[in-house]
């Protein structure tokens, strides 16, 4: 089955620790995205990558970092510099041609105390 | 900068009634997407609207796009409880360029359908 997986589903961390969220897709999509969702809000773009070994900042990249060493994988690191890291994190991917429909993973809920 | 405004943000409906959710966006975009989100879950794609005048229907939901008015609507017909969820519209940022595929999301409309 093709799809996007994110792990873990829930993640708890102490303030000051870096944490890495996993996102893997087997849809052969070129582009991948990370979004953050806060309660009662829409999605805000953190980082995106259109090809391997290249990525761009989205609207709220401060305190986050990413890598894109493989087409299938786009991990997100939430660093200790992120002021309010507690949120629901969603990964998505899309083809670069045609419809550009974004498919979403199940999400990771990060809680930092 | 593309801004997206959905209204209403909260909608409580009786089963069997009709209603429309509106999505206005501020700059040119050639396509728009509607998503559904159940509480605590990810986003599920509902409709992809690819051109001016596009209309798509699935069950009790119908979406339309007017690119000239920068407006999309999601019409609910004879609502049922199963439609209770949050609905997001997301126009694509620009018609072309380096950020192809980037979507800008509205804040969402939380729909509650009551018996």
């Amino acid at each position: 089955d093709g799809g996007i997986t994110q792990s873990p589903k829930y993640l708890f961390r102490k303030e000051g620790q870096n944490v890495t969220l996993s996102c893997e897709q087997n849809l052969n999509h070129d582009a991948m995205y990370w979004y953050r969702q806060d309660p009662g809000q829409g999605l805000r773009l953190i980082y995106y990558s259109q090809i391997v070994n290249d990525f761009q900042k989205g609207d709220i990249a401060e305190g986050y970092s990413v890598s894109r060493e493989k087409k299938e994988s786009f991990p997100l690191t939430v660093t200790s510099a992120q002021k309010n890291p507690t949120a629901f994190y969603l990964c998505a991917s899309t083809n670069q041609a045609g419809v550009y429909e974004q498919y979403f993973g199940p999400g990771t809920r990060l809680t930092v105390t | 900068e593309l801004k997206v405004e959905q209204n209403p943000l909260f909608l409580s409906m009786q089963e069997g009634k009709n209603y429309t959710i509106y999505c206005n966006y501020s700059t040119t975009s050639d396509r728009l997407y509607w998503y559904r989100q159940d509480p605590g879950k990810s986003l599920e794609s509902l409709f992809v609207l690819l051109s001016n005048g596009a209309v798509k229907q699935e069950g009790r939901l119908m979406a339309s796009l007017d690119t000239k008015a920068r407006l999309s609507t999601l019409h609910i017909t004879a609502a049922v409880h199963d439609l209770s969820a949050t609905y997001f519209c997301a126009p694509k940022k620009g018609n072309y360029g380096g950020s192809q595929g980037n979507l800008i999301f509205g804040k969402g409309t939380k729909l509650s359908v009551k018996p």
Side-chain angles (χ1 to χ4, degrees):
Chain A
D1 282 323
I4 303 175
T5 56
Q6 290 185 243
S7 61
K9 188 173 181 181
Y10 298 97
L11 190 53
F12 298 89
R13 280 293 182 268
K14 294 286 188 188
E15 200 172 301
Q17 293 179 332
N18 291 356
V19 60
T20 297
L21 282 58
S22 167
C23 177
E24 305 272 333
Q25 54 97 2
N26 61 4
L27 299 166
N28 199 34
H29 284 169
D30 295 310
M32 297 185 73
Y33 303 81
W34 274 106
Y35 293 94
R36 169 184 174 135
Q37 186 178 32
D38 294 286
Q41 299 294 315
L43 277 64
R44 292 184 291 168
L45 182 64
I46 305 173
Y47 269 98
Y48 65 101
S49 168
Q50 294 176 316
I51 56 171
V52 174
N53 292 323
D54 188 44
F55 48 83
Q56 284 78 42
K57 293 181 179 180
D59 301 317
I60 55 164
E62 186 175 346
Y64 299 97
S65 66
V66 293
S67 62
R68 186 89 186 275
E69 296 175 5
K70 299 187 297 183
K71 188 175 184 178
E72 310 80 50
S73 179
F74 191 39
L76 173 74
T77 296
V78 184
T79 75
S80 56
Q82 169 47 233
K83 298 279 190 281
N84 297 297
T86 294
F88 188 43
Y89 290 87
L90 287 158
C91 178
S93 69
T94 187
N95 276 327
Q96 286 288 75
V99 178
Y100 287 105
E101 186 174 4
Q102 288 193 14
Y103 296 88
F104 284 83
T108 292
R109 194 166 297 278
L110 173 65
T111 302
V112 177
T113 57
Chain B
E1 182 187 346
L2 178 58
K3 293 191 184 296
V4 183
E5 187 176 309
Q6 278 184 244
N7 67 82
L9 296 181
F10 298 93
L11 178 56
S12 182
M13 293 177 66
Q14 294 280 38
E15 277 193 331
K17 297 292 187 184
N18 304 335
Y19 207 83
T20 299
I21 297 170
Y22 295 89
C23 174
N24 290 92
Y25 54 97
S26 60
T27 64
T28 301
S29 177
D30 62 350
R31 57 192 67 190
L32 186 139
Y33 306 78
W34 282 95
Y35 289 89
R36 168 182 171 142
Q37 186 179 37
D38 292 300
K41 304 290 187 184
S42 185
L43 272 68
E44 172 193 350
S45 180
L46 289 176
F47 298 109
V48 179
L49 302 169
L50 297 177
S51 60
N52 186 41
V55 177
K56 295 276 186 76
Q57 182 160 5
E58 181 73 35
R60 300 173 189 276
L61 299 177
M62 183 173 71
S64 66
L65 178 62
D66 182 341
T67 57
K68 292 177 182 168
R70 297 175 189 161
L71 170 68
S72 180
T73 60
L74 182 66
H75 186 72
I76 302 153
T77 302
V80 293
H81 179 70
D82 284 353
L83 290 180
S84 296
T86 299
Y87 294 86
F88 292 95
C89 68
K92 189 170 79 69
K93 187 177 179 181
N95 295 339
Y96 45 78
S99 59
Q100 286 179 0
N102 285 12
L103 306 182
I104 305 297
F105 284 82
K107 290 190 172 180
T109 296
K110 186 172 183 179
L111 172 65
S112 176
V113 181
K114 302 184 185 304

